Amino acid sequence: MKLVTGIVKPFKLDDVKSSSREFRRRRNHGGAKVQGYGRQRGHTEVYRGAEYRVDFVPKVRIEGAGR
């Protein structure tokens, strides 16, 4: 049994789910909402004239187990 873990952006979740259906021996998979930053290093947003730094970017963690 092997466990595969991946962290992707939320808009890529449908692509990952559709490609994971191609594997025949996949038993279970699950997902969780996580926040973090990697290469993106966050970004700045303007809200009501004030500039805010958003350090954590929303992402989805996917785990799948199979043979």
Side-chain angles (χ1 to χ4, degrees):
M1 188 67 78
K2 294 183 181 180
L3 178 67
V4 178
T5 304
I7 298 176
V8 296
K9 295 179 182 178
F11 64 88
K12 289 287 186 179
L13 181 61
D14 292 334
D15 295 336
V16 173
K17 285 188 342 186
S18 65
S19 65
S20 70
R21 289 187 187 119
E22 296 175 6
F23 297 110
R24 294 181 186 170
R25 296 187 176 191
R26 179 183 52 84
R27 296 287 183 207
N28 289 328
H29 71 277
K33 293 181 182 179
V34 295
Q35 291 184 348
Y37 67 92
R39 295 180 184 163
Q40 295 92 5
R41 301 282 187 220
H43 60 278
T44 58
E45 290 185 1
V46 178
Y47 178 72
R48 294 190 178 184
E51 190 171 296
Y52 294 96
R53 176 125 178 105
V54 179
D55 290 329
F56 291 111
V57 180
K59 297 183 181 188
V60 177
R61 178 180 176 167
I62 302 169
E63 294 181 344
R67 294 185 184 175

